[in-house]
Amino acid sequence: FWDFLILFFCLPVVIFNEITKKRLLGNLSCGIVPFMEVSSLGVTTFSLCALGIDRFHAATSPQASARPIEQCQSIIAKLAVIWVGSMTLAVPEILLWQLARDTSPVSGVVTEYCTMKPSSNLPESIYSLVLTYQNARMWWYFGCYFCLPILFTISCQLVTRRVSGPEKKPECRGTKHSQCESHLNCTIIGLTIIYGLCTTPENVCNIVVAYMSPDMSKQTLDLLNLINQFFLFFKCSVTPVLLLCLCRPLGQAFMDCCCCCCQGCGPNTASSEGSADSKLKTEMSSSIFFDKPRESPPPLLALGTPC
C-alpha cells in the first residue's frame, strides 16, 4: 500500500517538475515527497526485520507445525508500529527541504527546485535538531535504511538455517510444511535483494556528493537525485509484483479477486463448484503464511465465488 502511495503521489510530482520546471503544489511538495520516500524506506526496512524475526521464531518453535495462527489484531498492531515508527523517523525531512527558484542565464526561464536547507523561521531548538539531522543524514541513511535490513535478513537466515540444520532435514524433507517454509524464506530473500539493488545507487551517490559536492555542478547533482528517485520508483513497482509471484497463496487470492470482479460475481453452478475447489486449494496452500496446517480440509460446498 505504501508503494502504491509513492507511485500515485510522488511519481507525478517528479515527472511534472522535470517537464515544466515548475514544482507541483509548491513548497508543500518539497517536504511531503521526501517525507513519503524516506518513510517508504523505513516501512520496507522494519518490515524485513519483522519478517526475519518471524522466520526465526518459526524455526526455533518446539512444535513448529502446531504453532497457532496469529490473530489479525496482532498483525495490525505490528504494522501500526512499523508505519508510525517509519513516519516519525522521517519527520525531519519535512523541515529540511525548501523551495528555491533559479533563473537561467541563457533562456531567462525561472526554474523551481527543492534544496536541502532548513528554514530560518524555525525555533532555535528545532533548527538545531534539523541541522544536526542534515549533517548526519548520509550515514543515517546508509546505516539504518541500507545496512540494517540487509544484515538483519542475512543474519536471521543464517541463524534459521543453523537452528533447523541437518538434524531436522531428513524428517521434514518433502513435507508440505517444509516447502511452505522454503517458499516464504525465498520470498524474504527476494524482497531483500530487490531492496538492496535499488537503494545501493542512492547510498553511493550520497557518499560521493557529500565529499565531492563543491567540485560538481548543479546539473550533475540534479541528475543524480533524479536517478535515485527513479530507482525508488522502480523498487515500488517491482516489489508488489515480486510478492505476488513468489507468494503463491497471495497471488492466487489476488487473481481470484480480479477474476471475480471481471465476471461481476455472477452466481452459477459450474463456476460455483470450480471456485469452491480453487478456494479450497488456496486455503490449503495458505499455510505458507502460518505454521499450523489444517487437520482436515473443509467440505466442498457450492457457496458461490470467493468474493
Side-chain angles (χ1 to χ4, degrees):
F1 180 72
W2 198 273
D3 291 336
F4 172 76
L5 291 180
I6 294 292
L7 296 175
F8 182 78
F9 180 78
C10 299
L11 181 59
V13 172
V14 173
I15 294 179
F16 181 85
N17 186 31
E18 289 301 316
I19 295 177
T20 64
K21 302 304 179 182
K22 300 292 182 180
R23 194 70 184 182
L24 192 65
L25 301 180
N27 196 33
L28 179 63
S29 66
C30 284
I32 296 298
V33 171
F35 169 77
M36 295 185 64
E37 292 176 348
V38 175
S39 297
S40 173
L41 298 178
V43 169
T44 306
T45 294
F46 300 132
S47 296
L48 290 175
C49 293
L51 291 173
I53 295 175
D54 181 75
R55 291 300 89 211
F56 176 76
H57 285 168
T60 56
S61 178
Q63 295 180 349
S65 59
R67 192 181 175 196
I69 297 176
E70 188 173 4
Q71 298 296 324
C72 182
Q73 293 82 355
S74 175
I75 298 177
I76 293 178
K78 292 179 181 179
L79 291 177
V81 171
I82 291 174
W83 280 38
V84 173
S86 301
M87 290 188 290
T88 302
L89 293 176
V91 166
E93 296 287 333
I94 300 179
L95 307 175
L96 182 61
W97 295 86
Q98 300 293 326
L99 181 66
R101 293 178 174 85
D102 188 17
T103 303
S104 174
V106 179
S107 60
V109 178
V110 178
T111 304
E112 296 182 349
Y113 61 95
C114 296
T115 180
M116 193 182 300
K117 181 180 179 182
S119 175
S120 57
N121 298 327
L122 295 174
E124 185 176 354
S125 57
I126 298 179
Y127 181 83
S128 177
L129 290 175
V130 175
L131 199 60
T132 303
Y133 173 81
Q134 180 182 1
N135 295 331
R137 184 176 184 271
M138 176 192 67
W139 294 113
W140 168 254
Y141 235 79
F142 180 73
C144 182
Y145 298 132
F146 181 76
C147 295
L148 177 63
I150 294 178
L151 295 179
F152 201 95
T153 303
I154 294 176
S155 301
C156 288
Q157 289 295 322
L158 293 177
V159 173
T160 301
R161 290 179 182 272
R162 185 172 183 83
V163 170
S164 58
E167 67 278 1
K168 294 187 179 180
K169 286 182 179 178
E171 62 184 13
C172 295
R173 186 176 300 170
T175 63
K176 185 176 180 180
H177 177 72
S178 61
Q179 293 176 359
C180 293
E181 290 293 322
S182 177
H183 288 161
L184 188 52
N185 287 332
C186 291
T187 301
I188 298 175
I189 294 175
L191 294 175
T192 305
I193 292 175
I194 291 296
Y195 179 77
L197 291 177
C198 293
T199 54
T200 296
E202 181 172 7
N203 286 278
V204 172
C205 290
N206 288 339
I207 296 175
V208 171
V209 169
Y211 292 100
M212 299 180 59
S213 57
D215 302 328
M216 303 175 68
S217 62
K218 181 181 177 301
Q219 290 76 13
T220 304
L221 295 176
D222 292 340
L223 179 61
L224 292 177
N225 184 42
L226 183 63
I227 293 175
N228 296 336
Q229 285 185 313
F230 274 97
F231 266 106
L232 177 62
F233 298 146
F234 177 76
K235 190 249 334 164
C236 293
S237 303
V238 172
T239 298
V241 177
L242 180 67
L243 192 61
L244 292 175
C245 293
L246 293 181
C247 281
R248 297 178 183 177
L250 182 62
Q252 184 63 41
F254 181 79
M255 294 303 298
D256 288 344
C257 287
C258 290
C259 294
C260 177
C261 293
C262 292
Q263 295 174 1
C265 297
N268 57 71
T269 305
S271 63
S272 297
E273 295 179 357
S275 62
D277 184 55
S278 64
K279 182 178 181 181
L280 171 62
K281 294 180 180 179
T282 303
E283 290 179 349
M284 293 179 65
S285 62
S286 63
S287 59
I288 190 174
F289 297 109
F290 312 110
D291 300 300
K292 179 182 179 182
R294 295 184 179 273
E295 297 296 336
S296 60
L300 287 176
L301 298 178
L303 298 179
T305 62
C307 290

PDB file of all heavy atoms in Angstrom, residues 159-170:
ATOM      1  N   VAL A 159      21.017 -17.884  10.947  1.00  0.00           N
ATOM      2  CA  VAL A 159      20.664 -18.493  12.230  1.00  0.00           C
ATOM      3  C   VAL A 159      19.534 -19.500  12.060  1.00  0.00           C
ATOM      4  O   VAL A 159      19.539 -20.584  12.655  1.00  0.00           O
ATOM      5  CB  VAL A 159      20.278 -17.394  13.245  1.00  0.00           C
ATOM      6  CG1 VAL A 159      19.737 -18.008  14.532  1.00  0.00           C
ATOM      7  CG2 VAL A 159      21.472 -16.512  13.552  1.00  0.00           C
ATOM      8  N   THR A 160      18.547 -19.144  11.223  1.00  0.00           N
ATOM      9  CA  THR A 160      17.428 -20.061  10.989  1.00  0.00           C
ATOM     10  C   THR A 160      17.894 -21.357  10.344  1.00  0.00           C
ATOM     11  O   THR A 160      17.459 -22.450  10.726  1.00  0.00           O
ATOM     12  CB  THR A 160      16.376 -19.379  10.095  1.00  0.00           C
ATOM     13  OG1 THR A 160      15.916 -18.182  10.737  1.00  0.00           O
ATOM     14  CG2 THR A 160      15.192 -20.299   9.859  1.00  0.00           C
ATOM     15  N   ARG A 161      18.799 -21.253   9.360  1.00  0.00           N
ATOM     16  CA  ARG A 161      19.309 -22.462   8.715  1.00  0.00           C
ATOM     17  C   ARG A 161      20.135 -23.297   9.676  1.00  0.00           C
ATOM     18  O   ARG A 161      20.123 -24.535   9.603  1.00  0.00           O
ATOM     19  CB  ARG A 161      20.152 -22.079   7.489  1.00  0.00           C
ATOM     20  CG  ARG A 161      19.348 -21.512   6.341  1.00  0.00           C
ATOM     21  CD  ARG A 161      20.245 -21.123   5.175  1.00  0.00           C
ATOM     22  NE  ARG A 161      19.470 -20.539   4.084  1.00  0.00           N
ATOM     23  CZ  ARG A 161      18.899 -21.249   3.114  1.00  0.00           C
ATOM     24  NH1 ARG A 161      19.018 -22.570   3.119  1.00  0.00           N
ATOM     25  NH2 ARG A 161      18.221 -20.655   2.160  1.00  0.00           N
ATOM     26  N   ARG A 162      20.850 -22.638  10.579  1.00  0.00           N
ATOM     27  CA  ARG A 162      21.654 -23.387  11.538  1.00  0.00           C
ATOM     28  C   ARG A 162      20.768 -24.087  12.572  1.00  0.00           C
ATOM     29  O   ARG A 162      21.036 -25.230  12.968  1.00  0.00           O
ATOM     30  CB  ARG A 162      22.641 -22.452  12.231  1.00  0.00           C
ATOM     31  CG  ARG A 162      23.598 -23.187  13.154  1.00  0.00           C
ATOM     32  CD  ARG A 162      24.682 -22.267  13.657  1.00  0.00           C
ATOM     33  NE  ARG A 162      25.634 -22.976  14.491  1.00  0.00           N
ATOM     34  CZ  ARG A 162      26.670 -23.689  14.053  1.00  0.00           C
ATOM     35  NH1 ARG A 162      26.871 -23.785  12.746  1.00  0.00           N
ATOM     36  NH2 ARG A 162      27.488 -24.307  14.875  1.00  0.00           N
ATOM     37  N   VAL A 163      19.714 -23.388  13.023  1.00  0.00           N
ATOM     38  CA  VAL A 163      18.822 -23.990  14.008  1.00  0.00           C
ATOM     39  C   VAL A 163      18.080 -25.173  13.408  1.00  0.00           C
ATOM     40  O   VAL A 163      17.968 -26.241  14.011  1.00  0.00           O
ATOM     41  CB  VAL A 163      17.829 -22.932  14.541  1.00  0.00           C
ATOM     42  CG1 VAL A 163      16.745 -23.576  15.383  1.00  0.00           C
ATOM     43  CG2 VAL A 163      18.574 -21.889  15.362  1.00  0.00           C
ATOM     44  N   SER A 164      17.527 -24.982  12.207  1.00  0.00           N
ATOM     45  CA  SER A 164      16.840 -26.080  11.519  1.00  0.00           C
ATOM     46  C   SER A 164      17.813 -26.770  10.575  1.00  0.00           C
ATOM     47  O   SER A 164      17.588 -26.874   9.381  1.00  0.00           O
ATOM     48  CB  SER A 164      15.631 -25.554  10.747  1.00  0.00           C
ATOM     49  OG  SER A 164      16.045 -24.569   9.818  1.00  0.00           O
ATOM     50  N   GLY A 165      18.925 -27.236  11.122  1.00  0.00           N
ATOM     51  CA  GLY A 165      20.026 -27.782  10.342  1.00  0.00           C
ATOM     52  C   GLY A 165      19.817 -29.206   9.898  1.00  0.00           C
ATOM     53  O   GLY A 165      18.692 -29.674   9.705  1.00  0.00           O
ATOM     54  N   PRO A 166      20.917 -29.969   9.766  1.00  0.00           N
ATOM     55  CA  PRO A 166      20.828 -31.317   9.194  1.00  0.00           C
ATOM     56  C   PRO A 166      19.969 -32.264  10.009  1.00  0.00           C
ATOM     57  O   PRO A 166      19.399 -33.195   9.470  1.00  0.00           O
ATOM     58  CB  PRO A 166      22.301 -31.778   9.178  1.00  0.00           C
ATOM     59  CG  PRO A 166      23.100 -30.520   9.218  1.00  0.00           C
ATOM     60  CD  PRO A 166      22.285 -29.564  10.030  1.00  0.00           C
ATOM     61  N   GLU A 167      19.881 -32.019  11.356  1.00  0.00           N
ATOM     62  CA  GLU A 167      19.116 -32.963  12.147  1.00  0.00           C
ATOM     63  C   GLU A 167      17.635 -32.900  11.863  1.00  0.00           C
ATOM     64  O   GLU A 167      16.902 -33.843  12.138  1.00  0.00           O
ATOM     65  CB  GLU A 167      19.351 -32.698  13.644  1.00  0.00           C
ATOM     66  CG  GLU A 167      18.782 -31.367  14.156  1.00  0.00           C
ATOM     67  CD  GLU A 167      19.696 -30.196  13.884  1.00  0.00           C
ATOM     68  OE1 GLU A 167      20.757 -30.434  13.277  1.00  0.00           O
ATOM     69  OE2 GLU A 167      19.365 -29.065  14.291  1.00  0.00           O
ATOM     70  N   LYS A 168      17.118 -31.804  11.302  1.00  0.00           N
ATOM     71  CA  LYS A 168      15.701 -31.694  11.005  1.00  0.00           C
ATOM     72  C   LYS A 168      15.390 -31.911   9.536  1.00  0.00           C
ATOM     73  O   LYS A 168      14.240 -32.057   9.173  1.00  0.00           O
ATOM     74  CB  LYS A 168      15.175 -30.305  11.434  1.00  0.00           C
ATOM     75  CG  LYS A 168      15.202 -30.088  12.940  1.00  0.00           C
ATOM     76  CD  LYS A 168      14.532 -28.783  13.307  1.00  0.00           C
ATOM     77  CE  LYS A 168      14.523 -28.554  14.815  1.00  0.00           C
ATOM     78  NZ  LYS A 168      13.866 -27.291  15.180  1.00  0.00           N
ATOM     79  N   LYS A 169      16.413 -31.896   8.693  1.00  0.00           N
ATOM     80  CA  LYS A 169      16.145 -32.006   7.264  1.00  0.00           C
ATOM     81  C   LYS A 169      15.620 -33.386   6.849  1.00  0.00           C
ATOM     82  O   LYS A 169      14.701 -33.476   6.049  1.00  0.00           O
ATOM     83  CB  LYS A 169      17.413 -31.655   6.461  1.00  0.00           C
ATOM     84  CG  LYS A 169      17.713 -30.161   6.460  1.00  0.00           C
ATOM     85  CD  LYS A 169      18.924 -29.863   5.616  1.00  0.00           C
ATOM     86  CE  LYS A 169      19.213 -28.370   5.606  1.00  0.00           C
ATOM     87  NZ  LYS A 169      20.423 -28.061   4.809  1.00  0.00           N
ATOM     88  N   PRO A 170      16.165 -34.493   7.385  1.00  0.00           N
ATOM     89  CA  PRO A 170      15.656 -35.774   6.918  1.00  0.00           C
ATOM     90  C   PRO A 170      14.190 -35.998   7.212  1.00  0.00           C
ATOM     91  O   PRO A 170      13.471 -36.558   6.398  1.00  0.00           O
ATOM     92  CB  PRO A 170      16.548 -36.781   7.677  1.00  0.00           C
ATOM     93  CG  PRO A 170      17.798 -36.031   7.990  1.00  0.00           C
ATOM     94  CD  PRO A 170      17.347 -34.635   8.240  1.00  0.00           C
TER      95      PRO A 170
END
